[in-house]
Amino acid sequence: MRKTALSLMLVFGLFGVGSAEMMHKEKTLYQRLGGYDAISAVVKDLAVRLVTDRQLGVYFKGLSNDSKNKLIAHLTNFVCSATGGPCIYTGRDMKTAHEGLGISDSDWNRFVELTKETLNKFKVPPKEQQEFLQAVAPLKGVIVEKK
């Protein structure tokens, strides 16, 4: 019995099973960003920047305050879900949501700039900023219509 216990300890030790490294799983980006409330605050700040931006504000003209609030709720759930959080995004897919708006590379680049400004305002660490921007980057192909 004692010999079996020693053998198991040796095997587990050799393969790292049960070790602190194996037991410690890195937190999701959602968790590292601070969870739902932090993501909600970031999205609200970014939404204000987008709506009031000289270049990008044109895409939000004509939206009522209720429509803007609904957009913020959808974006919050989208970001929550995309970063590994528990939210379920129920909005339209990104291609459908942006099709026909004529969004350009310049518009996309401005969106990225404003996103970085918001992430910096909330002191999001560089690693998390990079991960977030990498998660959003593939959307460029379905959002941008004008090169």
Side-chain angles (χ1 to χ4, degrees), residues 36-56:
Y36 187 86
D37 290 342
I39 287 173
S40 180
V42 167
V43 169
K44 285 178 186 171
D45 185 86
L46 178 58
V48 169
R49 290 173 192 262
L50 294 170
V51 168
T52 59
D53 186 72
R54 287 188 325 145
Q55 181 176 343
L56 301 180

Side-chain angles (χ1 to χ4, degrees), residues 17-97:
V17 177
S19 70
E21 294 79 28
M22 291 295 286
M23 298 301 283
H24 174 70
K25 183 179 174 189
E26 186 175 359
K27 291 181 177 181
T28 64
L29 181 56
Y30 169 83
Q31 292 167 321
R32 288 180 284 131
L33 290 173
Y36 187 86
D37 290 342
I39 287 173
S40 180
V42 167
V43 169
K44 285 178 186 171
D45 185 86
L46 178 58
V48 169
R49 290 173 192 262
L50 294 170
V51 168
T52 59
D53 186 72
R54 287 188 325 145
Q55 181 176 343
L56 301 180
V58 65
Y59 296 110
F60 303 94
K61 295 278 187 226
L63 289 182
S64 67
N65 288 337
D66 182 60
S67 293
K68 290 175 189 171
N69 288 333
K70 200 171 282 189
L71 178 63
I72 289 169
H74 277 301
L75 287 173
T76 300
N77 284 333
F78 180 82
V79 172
C80 171
S81 177
T83 58
C87 303
I88 298 171
Y89 174 69
T90 59
R92 297 174 290 168
D93 65 90
M94 292 298 115
K95 181 169 179 60
T96 302

Side-chain angles (χ1 to χ4, degrees), residues 89-108:
Y89 174 69
T90 59
R92 297 174 290 168
D93 65 90
M94 292 298 115
K95 181 169 179 60
T96 302
H98 296 88
E99 198 168 38
L101 293 175
I103 294 173
S104 67
D105 272 330
S106 174
D107 295 331
W108 176 265

Side-chain angles (χ1 to χ4, degrees), residues 32-33 42 118-129:
R32 288 180 284 131
L33 290 173
V42 167
T118 295
L119 295 173
N120 285 329
K121 175 184 174 182
F122 285 89
K123 298 179 178 21
V124 174
K127 177 185 176 193
E128 282 71 21
Q129 284 194 33

